[in-house]
Amino acid sequence: MPRNDAPSRTPLSYEASEDIPSNPHVEGSLGDVINTRFGRREVIGGALAVGAMSALVTSYAGVLARPAAAAAGSRFGFREIEAGVDETHHVAEGHDANVLIRWGDPVLADAPPFDPENQTPQAQEKQFGYNNDYIGYFPLPAGSRNGGHGLLVVNHEFTNRELMGPAFLGDSRRAVDNNMAAHGASVIEVRAGTGGWRVVERSAYARRISALSTKMRLSGPAAGHPRLRTRADPTGTRVIGTMNNCAGGMTPWGTVLIAEENFHGYFTGDLEGNPERRNHERYGVGDGYYNWARHYDRFDVSKEPNEANRFGWMVEFDPYDARSTPVKRTAMGRFKHEGAETIVNADGRLVCYMGDDQRFDYLYKFVSDGRVDPNNRAANADLLDNGTLFVARFEPDGTLTWMPLVFGSGPLTPANDFHSPADVLIETRRAADLLGATPMDRPEDVQPDPLSSKVYVMLTNNSKRGDPGQPGVNAANPRAPNPHGHIIEMVPPDGNHAALTFAWDILVKCGKPGDPEAEAMWHPKTSEHGWFTHPDNAAVDGRGRLWIATDGNRPGSHSDRCDGLWAVETAGGMRGLSKHFFRAPVGSELCGPQFTPDDGALFVAVQHPADAGVENWEPFGRNSTFEDPATRWPDFREDMPPRPSVVVITRRDGGRVGG
Ligand code: FEO
Ligand code: CA
Ligand code: CA
Ligand code: CA
């Protein structure tokens, strides 16, 4: 498939006609025909007018593999909501969107009532943490597909101290411990009933995992390596806590993966003469924005150079066992892990897709050596300790190569200071640099669709692309700068997720349609409410429909709207059409989206309400503080601060969410 390797400077596919099937990866589709006959340059250049395209549709209709889907209408039956900015949340009509649990609500049975001004670490470790991000749904009973009763695992990514109150601000031990206790994850039991969904009180499954006290294990090829040993843990296998758990994933055997993302922000200290200096500099370790080192030497890299090597991993734990020990799986690499969506390959191996969310960093997948045993849960317990980590190189011809990060192969040898598989995993980024991976526009969630086998990559933005001294455009990241983000579609050959070569294409380029500076690419029927910027988290529902949650739409910004949830068509003639389904309150971003197996409920996580961009919101126009927040969502009580919360969305007629 010939492809122009110059950056696409003009929207193409969706400028044509909604009747034109534009998926170039359906064999024999019009996309192939156009690309083969004319090349993308001619299409971009306008040589192929809409009329000519229409003629092609007619003349090639007989050879199209799936022409019927092309002219079909949207697969999303809901009427979209208005994009905009206000103090509360909104959902498409015919649906309810109710707050299920808020920061400070009880998780453990003996949690005290939430008292933000007098918060203690002991209370916070029993209550729902701050900044809910990833949501995983685990049906009860375990192994069922029950869409009305299950466990939610919810990540608590970070803390907004200025909005949380005096108990979280400043350098006191109590303030630091409060912050550490508000990080991590929660396990809650939830059930649908006549009054809607509720949290089950005094559940035996309820659990808080925190940065303060939860004991974890390191496993896999790097566990026990001298570079993971510290004074507190001479074995290099035991570590306290996890932090900056952003997105995640669920394994087919019913465990959860929670990703350690911006771990660098918690470490301070001088790198001069530090034995890990090169490593720490590649991850930005040493210049952290939290003050935990004031009370914990292990977060000072001058005092404990290896502690930062014990973070940046993928953490697995069993939500069905509240006493299980979380395990940091070193085989899955060390980077700013965004998420970990899994899929069982046809040959039984587990494939896990992962983004490293930083400008110019990379896209990864992990392929297990062993096969998933669907009949013996215990047999999968350590499946993630053995496998191969691959990093992506996107080729301009529309293929991508998965390059294995294997010690001893290619440049990953002692000549480049890699002396063991552990070295390759601890310095995953440097290994990927040497292999020539494609620098991306901040890879976030990477979402496979089990029905089509396609995989969607959220690239949230890259305002530095093209800056002096920084990489310019490449085929997969075609805008410089890219303040809006885009979504790439990857297609494994014959649905083989373990394959070394995939095909890829761009699904949408975010930004305002018709704005020449944005160079956005949407289906032309996308309305003024339907477009967005900054894709972050994604979900695919039971019918293979793609839903995108965003982080970066702000009042006064280019998009001048709140973050929220949008539904995006991925195939047929409506491919690239986006509709606005849910809107989050001012200052928040939206995370989580997680459907129940029957699509009867959709859980979303509203992170940091009243925070980002509120200074540009006309009715408020200043920075939020605990005393003076831009919104007091969701309680709207003068004695309550804004509270990150999980919202459950259901359809009033009991049908599937989204129509
Ligand atoms: Fe925590 Fe990449 O978002
Ligand atoms: Ca994210
Ligand atoms: Ca996802
Ligand atoms: Ca985010």
Side-chain angles (χ1 to χ4, degrees):
M1 182 185 345
R3 180 188 283 262
N4 176 15
D5 63 358
S8 305
R9 306 305 298 184
T10 308
L12 55 134
S13 320
Y14 310 130
E15 292 283 296
S17 161
E18 67 171 18
D19 294 320
I20 294 177
S22 54
N23 182 348
H25 299 297
V26 175
E27 193 184 350
S29 76
L30 190 68
D32 285 339
V33 171
I34 291 173
N35 285 334
T36 304
R37 287 200 48 180
F38 296 93
R40 206 159 264 212
R41 187 180 300 276
E42 284 75 12
V43 179
I44 294 165
L48 198 57
V50 171
M53 280 190 161
S54 300
L56 268 176
V57 173
T58 307
S59 61
Y60 283 87
V63 300
L64 295 180
R66 298 180 202 169
S74 169
R75 293 208 295 159
F76 298 98
F78 67 89
R79 209 164 99 196
E80 75 174 332
I81 60 169
E82 287 188 4
V85 182
D86 68 9
E87 290 184 29
T88 192
H89 65 279
H90 304 265
V91 69
E93 67 180 19
H95 293 80
D96 288 315
N98 295 316
V99 173
L100 182 68
I101 189 167
R102 305 158 296 184
W103 166 47
D105 281 345
V107 170
L108 303 187
D110 57 346
F114 184 46
D115 181 1
E117 298 219 41
N118 299 297
Q119 184 68 313
T120 65
Q122 293 74 26
Q124 183 62 79
E125 281 209 302
K126 296 175 179 178
Q127 300 164 338
F128 200 60
Y130 201 75
N131 270 348
N132 31 216
D133 196 305
Y134 177 73
I135 303 173
Y137 178 84
F138 296 85
L140 284 169
S144 74
R145 290 184 55 80
N146 191 350
H149 184 201
L151 305 175
L152 293 187
V153 177
V154 184
N155 280 353
H156 303 296
E157 187 186 20
F158 66 102
T159 51
N160 289 76
R161 289 164 280 185
E162 68 292 348
L163 288 172
M164 298 172 78
F168 292 83
L169 272 171
D171 290 331
S172 72
R173 170 74 182 264
R174 182 177 160 206
V176 167
D177 285 0
N178 275 337
N179 279 276
M180 293 177 76
H183 281 67
S186 292
V187 182
I188 55 172
E189 183 180 346
V190 295
R191 185 192 284 273
T194 49
W197 283 83
R198 63 180 175 80
V199 178
V200 175
E201 293 175 13
R202 279 177 260 287
S203 168
Y205 300 103
R207 181 173 195 184
R208 267 307 318 278
I209 284 170
S210 81
L212 183 61
S213 65
T214 307
K215 293 189 173 76
M216 308 204 166
R217 190 161 65 82
L218 286 150
S219 76
H225 189 274
R227 296 177 72 185
L228 296 188
R229 296 177 195 161
T230 63
R231 275 173 296 172
D233 172 29
T235 73
T237 60
R238 295 190 296 265
V239 56
I240 294 175
T242 183
M243 72 275 212
N244 218 272
N245 304 89
C246 189
M250 299 179 287
T251 67
W253 53 93
T255 60
V256 68
L257 297 166
I258 61 173
E260 295 185 331
E261 194 190 22
N262 292 307
F263 64 94
H264 67 294
Y266 302 82
F267 293 90
T268 47
D270 191 358
L271 292 181
E272 194 62 44
N274 194 299
E276 292 288 334
R277 179 173 184 163
R278 178 184 58 195
N279 170 29
H280 288 344
E281 284 182 343
R282 182 63 180 87
Y283 291 90
V285 167
D287 193 21
Y289 35 81
Y290 282 95
N291 54 352
W292 297 4
R294 277 191 87 92
H295 299 283
Y296 296 92
D297 282 352
R298 66 188 180 116
F299 294 111
D300 182 337
V301 289
S302 359
K303 294 176 179 161
E304 195 61 88
N306 288 344
E307 184 69 8
N309 288 345
R310 294 140 62 83
F311 293 86
W313 302 105
M314 189 60 67
V315 185
E316 181 186 18
F317 74 91
D318 181 358
Y320 293 104
D321 177 0
R323 289 165 303 176
S324 62
T325 300
V327 184
K328 301 195 180 192
R329 300 288 182 191
T330 64
M332 302 176 83
R334 176 171 171 268
F335 44 90
K336 294 178 187 174
H337 278 283
E338 165 71 27
E341 294 284 359
T342 69
I343 193 158
V344 182
N345 204 38
D347 61 12
R349 287 183 289 172
L350 191 82
V351 178
C352 181
Y353 291 99
M354 302 177 288
D356 181 354
D357 180 8
Q358 186 154 337
R359 291 188 285 257
F360 306 113
D361 262 291
Y362 307 131
L363 178 70
Y364 296 87
K365 73 173 178 181
F366 173 83
V367 181
S368 67
D369 286 347
R371 287 161 167 65
V372 177
D373 187 337
N375 302 312
N376 181 3
R377 188 170 190 244
N380 304 310
D382 293 316
L383 198 75
L384 299 178
D385 280 344
N386 296 290
T388 305
L389 185 65
F390 297 85
V391 67
R393 187 177 69 213
F394 287 78
E395 315 289 358
D397 67 354
T399 63
L400 76 89
T401 306
W402 290 105
M403 302 181 293
L405 288 91
V406 175
F407 170 65
S409 76
L412 309 183
T413 63
N416 284 310
D417 215 10
F418 292 104
H419 302 280
S420 67
D423 283 340
V424 172
L425 293 166
I426 292 166
E427 293 187 78
T428 299
R429 282 184 168 183
R430 190 168 69 87
D433 293 341
L434 289 168
L435 288 174
T438 300
M440 308 296 290
D441 288 345
R442 292 186 54 193
E444 302 247 31
D445 201 0
V446 185
Q447 185 68 48
D449 170 4
L451 296 181
S452 70
S453 288
K454 293 176 183 171
V455 186
Y456 299 97
V457 185
M458 306 302 119
L459 296 153
T460 197
N461 69 80
N462 187 344
S463 52
K464 302 277 191 213
R465 187 175 291 282
D467 274 6
Q470 301 284 2
V473 296
N474 58 55
N477 301 274
R479 290 183 288 185
N482 175 13
H484 315 296
H486 60 291
I487 300 174
I488 286 178
E489 174 188 74
M490 303 190 295
V491 187
D494 302 318
N496 178 12
H497 291 271
L500 298 181
T501 305
F502 282 15
W504 67 271
D505 198 4
I506 291 178
L507 175 65
V508 296
K509 289 194 273 183
C510 301
K512 186 175 187 177
D515 176 350
E517 276 190 27
E519 301 171 8
M521 186 175 83
W522 303 95
H523 188 284
K525 289 219 162 163
T526 299
S527 81
E528 63 182 301
H529 310 293
W531 63 276
F532 56 84
T533 62
H534 301 85
D536 187 344
N537 299 114
V540 168
D541 68 19
R543 284 173 284 176
R545 304 184 307 177
L546 181 64
W547 300 77
I548 311 292
T550 62
D551 172 13
N553 295 266
R554 305 278 183 260
S557 74
H558 174 85
S559 66
D560 198 24
R561 56 196 56 199
C562 281
D563 279 323
L565 191 70
W566 280 263
V568 179
E569 301 282 354
T570 54
M574 290 294 187
R575 178 179 155 93
L577 182 86
S578 173
K579 287 171 71 176
H580 198 2
F581 179 74
F582 178 88
R583 189 170 119 196
V586 67
S588 63
E589 67 173 275
L590 195 70
C591 307
Q594 177 68 57
F595 288 87
T596 51
D598 57 2
D599 293 342
L602 165 61
F603 301 95
V604 293
V606 173
Q607 225 188 39
H608 56 74
D611 176 29
V614 297
E615 66 281 5
N616 296 317
W617 182 37
E618 182 77 31
F620 190 70
R622 54 195 182 275
N623 289 324
S624 270
T625 61
F626 176 74
E627 293 77 17
D628 178 28
T631 178
R632 291 186 185 272
W633 186 90
D635 301 303
F636 297 106
R637 275 170 42 177
E638 280 304 309
D639 62 342
M640 276 295 162
R643 300 165 78 181
S645 304
V646 171
V647 171
V648 57
I649 300 171
T650 50
R651 220 169 82 184
R652 291 203 178 127
D653 65 5
R656 289 173 149 187
V657 170

